[in-house]
Amino acid sequence: MPVVEARNITKTYTIADREIRVLDNVSLSVAAGEFLVVEGSSGSGKTTLLSLLSGLDKPSAGRVLLQEKDITDTSEDDLAPVRNQIIGFVFQSFHLVPSLTALENVMFPAEIKGDPRAHDMAADLLKRVGMQKRSTNYPHQLSGGEMQRVAMCRAVINNPKIIFADEPTGNLDSENGKAVLELLLEFKKERQTTLVLVTHSTEIAKIADRMIVLKDGRIV
Ligand SMILES: Nc1ncnc2c1ncn2[C@@H]1O[C@H](COP(=O)(O)OP(=O)(O)OP(=O)(O)O)[C@@H](O)[C@H]1O
Ligand SMILES: [Mg+2]
């Protein structure tokens, strides 16, 4: 069963009367439990594709299905709780809440759900990526790689069906990159979590089930 599916999606932006086609008629189906790597040069549309597949943004044309349900026209109000429940997203720029500590950022999606274990689960996740000593730091008191690890913990705390991660090891040295990757692989192995990762790492691509390469908004 596909957990997420794009059918002929196109994304265009108009800047100064000029139309830019960022994604051009892309179709893609990600099976439940699959580990998919998305590759492509800067500007090829990787982040855009992830935003559309997760319903964070809408395509200009085409359809997006999440767990076989068409979400293309679903309003943000209706989609937000679904996303919180089944999707974990690691943004390229982290999107941490500046007024919350590392621990509070990780707890946040679980607290929204009313999960009483939010605190303990968040502390455990931070520990697993070597961040226990930074849990009371605010985002501006964290390094790029530390923010990246906090964002990863936040993405997995609700035990999502699918994790979208945009260069989740991009800012990390090999040891911390490995810790983050191990966390992801553990979710895949133990909970059959579907993984969609943007990465330039050939090491990660090697262990993925499948890799797609984007070029000028198309899968090549
Ligand atoms: N809001 C926007 N308005 C106009 N153009 C945009 C917008 N967002 C993205 N683009 C353009 O869309 C193209 C694809 O952007 P995207 O962020 O998907 O690339 P990417 O493959 O993730 O690149 P990178 O590897 O640098 O992160 C780029 O050329 C970018 O300039
Ligand atoms: Mg990007």
Side-chain angles (χ1 to χ4, degrees):
M1 184 184 112
V3 62
V4 65
E5 210 179 331
R7 293 188 183 160
N8 305 100
I9 52 169
T10 291
K11 181 72 178 177
T12 55
Y13 292 107
T14 307
I15 293 178
D17 290 342
R18 226 185 107 241
E19 192 184 79
I20 308 168
R21 192 166 290 245
V22 175
L23 284 181
D24 188 8
N25 202 26
V26 168
S27 294
L28 173 72
S29 176
V30 187
E34 189 176 18
F35 179 2
L36 176 76
V37 158
V38 181
E39 241 271 53
S41 56
S42 179
S44 59
K46 304 180 298 295
T47 297
T48 306
L49 178 63
L50 256 55
S51 310
L52 295 176
L53 288 176
S54 58
L56 287 167
D57 199 0
K58 301 285 187 196
S60 311
R63 319 295 304 174
V64 177
L65 287 82
L66 193 59
Q67 293 193 319
E68 299 187 309
K69 187 176 169 288
D70 194 324
I71 58 158
T72 319
D73 300 320
T74 308
S75 72
E76 178 52 28
D77 281 355
D78 290 337
L79 205 50
V82 177
R83 235 184 355 240
N84 189 49
Q85 199 66 33
I86 67 172
I87 293 180
F89 206 111
V90 182
F91 297 90
Q92 211 168 0
S93 47
F94 320 127
H95 292 202
L96 297 176
V97 182
S99 59
L100 300 180
T101 65
L103 183 77
E104 289 163 351
N105 264 283
V106 177
M107 287 169 63
F108 195 59
E111 281 199 310
I112 289 179
K113 237 178 66 180
D115 195 324
R117 301 165 302 164
H119 179 278
D120 292 353
M121 290 190 306
D124 175 59
L125 286 168
L126 284 171
K127 193 168 169 219
R128 282 163 64 176
V129 295
M131 284 289 295
Q132 65 274 29
K133 287 187 180 142
R134 294 285 182 273
S135 62
T136 57
N137 287 41
Y138 288 90
H140 75 273
Q141 299 166 327
L142 296 170
S143 73
E146 288 170 346
M147 286 192 269
Q148 194 156 40
R149 282 178 278 165
V150 173
M152 173 59 65
C153 293
R154 182 182 57 180
V156 300
I157 194 163
N158 276 348
N159 194 16
K161 287 267 174 295
I162 180 162
I163 296 170
F164 292 101
D166 205 345
E167 303 200 28
T169 60
N171 292 290
L172 300 176
D173 56 89
S174 64
E175 191 185 330
N176 286 310
K178 220 173 134 211
V180 163
L181 186 62
E182 266 164 18
L183 188 68
L184 286 172
L185 291 176
E186 206 171 298
F187 271 77
K188 176 178 153 62
K189 192 167 164 235
E190 288 169 11
R191 310 170 201 208
Q192 287 74 51
T193 311
T194 308
L195 303 177
V196 179
L197 256 63
V198 171
T199 181
H200 297 294
S201 158
T202 48
E203 252 171 274
I204 297 178
K206 257 192 267 171
I207 53 173
D209 297 316
R210 179 161 64 118
M211 177 168 94
I212 60 163
V213 180
L214 283 178
K215 188 165 187 257
D216 301 329
R218 289 174 180 241
I219 299 176
V220 293

